[in-house]
Amino acid sequence: MTVGIVGLGLIGGSFAKSYKNAGHTVLALDTDDSILEFAIMSNVVDGKLENDKFKECDLILIALYPTVAIKFLELSAKFMTNPKTTVIDCCGTKKNICIAGFEAAKQYGFTFVGGHPMAGTEQSGFKFSDAELFEGASMIIIPPEDKVNDIEFLNGIKTLLAPAKFGRMTVSNAEEHDKIIAFTSQMAHLVSNSFIKSPVVSGHKGFSAGSYNDLTRVAWLNEEMWTELFMENKDNLLHELDLFITSLREYRTAIMSGSHGKLQDLLAEGKLLKEQVDRRNSGGENS
């Protein structure tokens, strides 16, 4: 098949390498011409995704920040007039891009599906892209409302995404996605980034192990991208942040008051919730 990649950063570059390795034709766009030229010289990309090439693509993956992805659709959707073309965005928030994508698809006749590959690294940019980045990971998709229970349609999307080697495909809607992702992803980055600001951190060497490394791994983030994602999803993120602050206050009160019993109960409660969640998820889910 012919695949169009819009944006050759970590995600777009990794998709380009995955599809090229699988023997497909890859066309691409990037705001930095030198990145696109390097990708072509490296035989990762076959050529530039010109306006007249959009309708030749079986699949177009938009790997841009949400506001830029919406702007791209506003400018380029008119060239995607092939009903056999499927466009999938890769944004970390879904509400606004899905509104724009479904509207453009209805107007110009292509198929739009919201997407969010649950994979990444602390590094960003094409130089860190990896053909195996998505292997075994979950790909969240937001299909059109009338296709949510269409097995044939969903299998078609799974086939289009097969070269990336995702471990599962999770079907959701934009509202549910943004609500859950505020907890599973955005809060993790926010907590990690704030935790690292203790003045003690400069002397942690020799005093830290797995727990420190796990908690601070995603403090090293792309501040431009995450600022946009946090602001795009601020209502859901603020809800989770308020819950977290309330919970932390309970721990603080128990410690400050010297209440061993209360602190032990709080710790046992968290441990039990973690055990329950892990047990529930260990049975596996259908992809």
Side-chain angles (χ1 to χ4, degrees):
M1 67 176 134
T2 299
V3 180
I5 309 287
V6 184
L8 287 173
L10 174 69
I11 299 299
S14 296
F15 270 122
K17 291 177 180 178
S18 295
Y19 281 87
K20 185 63 177 176
N21 283 359
H24 300 290
T25 299
V26 178
L27 304 176
L29 274 179
D30 194 87
T31 54
D32 188 336
D33 288 339
S34 65
I35 296 295
L36 178 58
E37 290 171 5
F38 179 77
I40 293 173
M41 285 193 305
S42 303
N43 200 34
V44 172
V45 171
D46 295 292
K48 186 174 182 180
L49 183 59
E50 306 279 6
N51 289 340
D52 62 348
K53 298 293 184 181
F54 283 113
K55 60 187 177 182
E56 296 179 13
C57 294
D58 302 284
L59 173 65
I60 297 173
L61 293 162
I62 305 175
L64 303 170
Y65 296 175
T67 53
V68 183
I70 291 170
K71 188 67 176 178
F72 167 77
L73 281 173
E74 290 174 352
L75 296 172
S76 302
K78 60 188 175 184
F79 301 109
M80 305 173 194
T81 55
N82 187 344
K84 294 183 179 180
T85 297
T86 297
V87 179
I88 302 178
D89 83 279
C90 303
C91 299
T93 54
K94 296 269 65 82
K95 182 180 177 181
N96 293 334
I97 185 63
C98 281
I99 290 172
F102 290 134
E103 185 175 304
K106 183 177 180 180
Q107 182 175 359
Y108 295 107
F110 60 88
T111 297
F112 178 83
V113 174
H116 186 183
M118 298 305 295
T121 71
E122 299 83 52
Q123 306 288 353
S124 60
F126 182 79
K127 67 182 290 187
F128 297 105
S129 60
D130 183 352
E132 306 302 320
L133 180 67
F134 310 111
E135 186 170 358
S138 174
M139 176 63 170
I140 303 171
I141 68 158
I142 316 297
E145 286 187 16
D146 62 340
K147 300 294 185 182
V148 171
N149 297 310
D150 188 330
I151 301 301
E152 183 178 354
F153 177 84
L154 297 178
N155 282 336
I157 299 301
K158 186 181 290 188
T159 298
L160 286 173
L161 293 170
K165 301 178 183 178
F166 287 103
R168 57 169 291 121
M169 190 172 78
T170 302
V171 180
S172 186
N173 59 62
E175 292 75 16
E176 187 72 2
H177 169 278
D178 289 354
K179 177 182 177 181
I180 296 175
I181 218 69
F183 171 71
T184 62
S185 178
Q186 294 184 347
M187 274 296 293
H189 284 79
L190 196 64
V191 170
S192 181
N193 194 264
S194 60
F195 177 82
I196 200 73
K197 294 179 179 178
S198 168
V200 176
V201 73
S202 61
H204 82 84
K205 188 175 182 180
F207 293 84
S208 58
S211 55
Y212 169 83
N213 293 331
D214 289 345
L215 186 53
T216 59
R217 181 180 65 82
V218 292
W220 191 353
L221 46 68
N222 179 331
E223 65 273 16
E224 181 182 358
M225 180 184 75
W226 284 101
T227 295
E228 180 169 334
L229 294 175
F230 289 166
M231 291 303 185
E232 281 250 336
N233 200 29
K234 67 178 183 179
D235 289 342
N236 288 314
L237 182 56
L238 284 171
H239 174 72
E240 291 297 334
L241 186 57
D242 288 342
L243 289 175
F244 186 60
I245 292 171
T246 298
S247 182
L248 284 179
R249 286 195 182 116
E250 289 189 75
Y251 288 89
R252 186 183 190 281
T253 298
I255 294 170
M256 185 173 63
S257 65
S259 177
H260 290 72
K262 178 61 176 177
L263 180 58
Q264 186 170 322
D265 287 345
L266 288 170
L267 293 171
E269 179 184 41
K271 176 185 175 182
L272 178 61
L273 284 170
K274 173 62 173 170
E275 289 175 347
Q276 290 173 341
V277 170
D278 287 354
R279 192 180 307 119
R280 187 161 56 244
N281 290 339
S282 64
E285 300 175 10
N286 293 329
S287 60

